[in-house]
């Protein structure tokens, strides 16, 4: 009706004007079908624009210091494994610097973890990315552990980078970190495309069963949930925070998510 009034034309001409505007070449019947309902079939679909990563050069590591991280040493994380993953310290920002690679092993960011013990009281973020992250379409530790994942046909999914380091020291080299407490849309696509068995071992206060993407994943892969059924962990602990024996008790008690 608007087109007809604006252009002072009949319905047939109005339809042709709309067809030209929408780029429609097919014949459209306007005598038997509601025209608005018919035109909606041709409405272009909108897709979210994927945020691309930036790629960093290796000289990024020259900005920071390679020194022992005492707080991590106290948790059993050795200097050797920190050097392997090029984990360093930024004395200006008073933070531990953790390299972030995409699944192909390209350096895309630096994750900074504050060493200020009063970060909560001061409302300082515990973790912050040095650069804009882009799409979360990767897992931390994926390219380093892919061969072990293929060999076992299983990937253990934890939340943080420290858990991946601890598990490697325990002999579990098929673990990766989500870098968050839930499975992202693009991360879901990665897991579906590979088809590995997935074992979710998230922090004590997180329930992976309520994650819609994990619910989707079980349609395509075998999904297992490892939960602390015997209250062996603290309220915010990762399954590997209490040592290998506790971790393996939780890991061995994993159950298929159906």
């Amino acid at each position: 009706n608007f087109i007809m009034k604006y252009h002072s034309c009949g319905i047939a001409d109005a339809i042709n004007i709309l067809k030209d505007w929408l780029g429609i070449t097919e014949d459209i019947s306007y005598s038997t079908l509601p025209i608005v309902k018919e035109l909606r079939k041709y409405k272009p679909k909108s897709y979210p624009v994927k945020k691309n990563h930036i790629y960093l050069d290796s000289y990024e590591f020259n900005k920071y210091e390679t020194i022992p991280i005492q707080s991590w040493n106290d948790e059993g994380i050795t200097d050797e494994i920190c050097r392997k993953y090029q984990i360093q310290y930024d004395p200006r920002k008073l933070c531990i610097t953790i390299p972030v690679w995409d699944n192909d092993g390209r350096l895309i960011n630096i994750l900074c973890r504050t060493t200020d013990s009063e970060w909560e009281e001061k409302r300082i973020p515990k973790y912050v990315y040095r650069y804009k992250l882009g799409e979360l379409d990767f897992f931390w530790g994926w390219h380093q552990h892919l061969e072990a994942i293929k060999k076992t046909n299983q990937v253990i999914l934890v939340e943080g980078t420290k858990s991946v380091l601890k598990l490697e020291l325990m002999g579990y080299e098929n673990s990766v970190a989500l870098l968050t407490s839930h499975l992202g849309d693009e991360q879901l696509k990665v897991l579906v495309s590979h088809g590995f068995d997935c074992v979710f071992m998230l922090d004590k206060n997180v329930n992976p069963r309520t994650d819609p993407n994990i619910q989707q994943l079980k349609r395509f892969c075998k999904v297992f949930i490892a939960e602390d059924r015997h209250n062996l962990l603290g309220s915010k602990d990762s399954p590997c925070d209490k040592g290998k024996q506790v971790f393996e008790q939780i890991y061995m008690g994993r159950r298929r998510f159906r």
Side-chain angles (χ1 to χ4, degrees):
N1 290 341
F2 172 81
I3 296 294
M4 290 166 64
K5 289 181 179 180
Y6 187 84
H7 291 279
S8 300
C9 63
I11 188 169
D13 291 332
I15 295 301
N16 288 329
I17 290 170
L18 283 171
K19 284 175 60 179
D20 290 340
W21 183 62
L22 292 169
I24 298 171
T25 58
E26 296 91 344
D27 291 329
I28 293 179
S29 171
Y30 56 84
S31 59
T32 57
L33 293 174
I35 188 59
V36 174
K37 181 179 179 181
E38 184 70 12
L39 286 172
R40 280 176 179 162
K41 297 179 181 178
Y42 299 91
K43 183 179 179 181
K45 293 182 179 179
S46 60
Y47 297 97
V49 177
K50 186 174 181 179
K51 299 176 182 178
N52 295 324
H53 301 296
I54 60 170
Y55 298 108
L56 307 176
D57 294 322
S58 59
Y59 71 79
E60 181 75 25
F61 298 113
N62 298 333
K63 299 179 182 179
Y64 315 113
E65 296 181 0
T66 302
I67 61 172
I69 310 297
Q70 188 58 50
S71 59
W72 285 25
N73 293 159
D74 294 342
E75 294 186 51
I77 300 173
T78 64
D79 293 337
E80 288 76 15
I81 199 165
C82 286
R83 286 194 294 269
K84 175 181 176 180
Y85 287 89
Q86 296 177 277
I87 293 169
Q88 299 174 294
Y89 184 73
D90 185 347
R92 295 176 302 166
K93 301 289 186 179
L94 302 178
C95 64
I96 300 167
T97 59
I98 306 166
V100 178
W101 299 274
D102 67 8
N103 286 352
D104 295 319
R106 294 172 293 192
L107 183 66
I108 58 174
N109 219 312
I110 300 294
L111 180 60
C112 303
R113 186 186 192 280
T114 183
T115 54
D116 191 330
S117 59
E118 299 179 350
W119 63 272
E120 288 184 288
E121 293 83 353
K122 296 178 180 178
R123 297 185 178 180
I124 300 172
K126 186 176 183 181
Y127 289 97
V128 64
Y129 289 100
R130 183 60 47 91
Y131 307 100
K132 288 185 178 181
L133 180 61
E135 199 76 36
L136 192 60
D137 55 358
F138 61 91
F139 299 94
W140 196 86
W142 182 273
H143 79 280
Q144 292 99 332
H145 290 169
L146 184 56
E147 289 306 313
I149 293 169
K150 288 179 178 178
K151 185 175 180 180
T152 60
N153 194 45
Q154 181 191 92
V155 54
I156 300 173
L157 296 117
V158 295
E159 290 189 35
T161 57
K162 286 201 304 179
S163 294
V164 174
L165 301 181
K166 290 178 180 180
L167 288 179
E168 182 170 330
L169 290 168
M170 293 178 190
Y172 293 87
E173 296 190 17
N174 59 326
S175 68
V176 298
L178 299 168
L179 295 181
T180 183
S181 59
H182 60 276
L183 182 65
D185 294 343
E186 297 300 318
Q187 292 176 322
L188 169 64
K189 295 176 184 178
V190 173
L191 296 177
V192 169
S193 68
H194 285 84
F196 300 126
D197 293 353
C198 300
V199 181
F200 285 88
M201 303 192 69
L202 307 185
D203 293 358
K204 173 76 172 182
N205 60 342
V206 177
N207 182 6
R209 298 176 186 276
T210 62
D211 188 320
N213 280 336
I214 297 178
Q215 293 173 4
Q216 286 279 356
L217 180 63
K218 68 181 182 179
R219 297 171 54 196
F220 306 96
C221 307
K222 291 181 180 178
V223 175
F224 298 85
I225 307 293
E227 298 171 296
D228 178 23
R229 296 185 176 85
H230 303 288
N231 292 318
L232 303 172
L233 304 173
S235 61
K236 296 182 179 180
D237 281 346
S238 164
C240 57
D241 283 346
K242 297 298 184 182
K244 185 175 182 179
Q245 184 176 353
V246 170
F247 168 80
E248 290 187 336
Q249 185 172 344
I250 297 171
Y251 173 72
M252 296 302 293
R254 64 191 182 279
R255 293 180 181 175
R256 180 82 178 269
F257 184 29
R258 299 183 184 277

